[in-house]
Amino acid sequence: MREHPRQGPRAAFRGWRAHRPFWGGLLLTLGGGEILLTEKASLKVVMHIGMQGLAGYLLPTLMLILGLLILFNPGQRLFYSLTGILVSLGTWLTSNLGGFFVGLLLGAVGSCLAFGWLPDQEPRVSRRRRRKEARAARNPAQGAGEPA
């Protein structure tokens, strides 16, 4: 028999999403995709010269891959997010000002979110609650429900 009751696909996705920096990886992936789409703009707007043409496709592709790696391998999120922010900032020069700023900002915010994500962190306890618990520990005769 199963220990857990059968979950629906939405609950299973929520469980999967809770154990990884989902929004950071998603925003970095969307930023890379947006920059790749702006590379297909008309020649009146975009002009590639020499090696910047290759870098214009390479850096957003790397952003897209790094975003997917953050989603599917969250254990290495620090390396991927640091690389992601550097690549995102590099698109400023190589890819139409970072996809006309939209892809650059999506990539930067996504990388910062992934870098700042902490797995299995206890919820924060308010200062008032910590004081109340400390008072109760010092004075065990006084019940927790009685006012001080």
Side-chain angles (χ1 to χ4, degrees), residues 35 39 52 55-56 59-60 63 84-105:
I35 294 172
E39 291 293 321
Q52 284 187 351
L59 293 182
M63 281 175 66
I85 190 75
L86 293 174
V87 169
S88 296
L89 293 174
T91 61
W92 171 269
L93 300 173
T94 61
S95 304
N96 304 329
L97 298 174
F100 305 112
F101 301 111
V102 176
L104 172 78
L105 291 175

Side-chain angles (χ1 to χ4, degrees), residues 5-139:
R6 186 177 175 114
Q7 295 179 350
R10 185 175 176 144
F13 176 70
R14 270 187 170 167
W16 178 81
R17 187 183 70 187
H19 298 293
R20 58 200 72 244
F22 178 76
W23 293 109
L26 183 67
L27 288 177
L28 185 59
T29 304
L30 289 175
E34 194 275 334
I35 294 172
L36 278 173
L37 287 176
T38 61
E39 291 293 321
K40 297 294 183 182
S42 68
L43 288 177
K44 295 175 185 174
V45 177
V46 183
M47 190 166 143
H48 297 290
I49 301 170
M51 288 298 291
Q52 284 187 351
L54 176 64
Y57 290 104
L58 184 65
L59 293 182
T61 304
L62 238 145
M63 281 175 66
L64 199 125
I65 291 169
L66 287 169
L68 291 174
L69 284 171
I70 286 172
L71 288 175
F72 294 109
N73 188 12
Q76 299 295 323
R77 74 184 189 291
L78 294 176
F79 174 73
Y80 297 145
S81 62
L82 287 174
T83 308
I85 190 75
L86 293 174
V87 169
S88 296
L89 293 174
T91 61
W92 171 269
L93 300 173
T94 61
S95 304
N96 304 329
L97 298 174
F100 305 112
F101 301 111
V102 176
L104 172 78
L105 291 175
L106 283 173
V109 170
S111 295
C112 291
L113 284 174
F115 186 81
W117 181 77
L118 293 174
D120 301 330
Q121 184 180 15
E122 293 294 321
R124 294 185 73 177
V125 179
S126 70
R127 185 177 296 173
R128 182 177 292 163
R129 183 156 180 111
R130 284 192 308 246
R131 285 181 186 161
K132 187 177 178 183
E133 290 172 359
R135 229 181 270 131
R138 279 187 303 213
N139 208 355

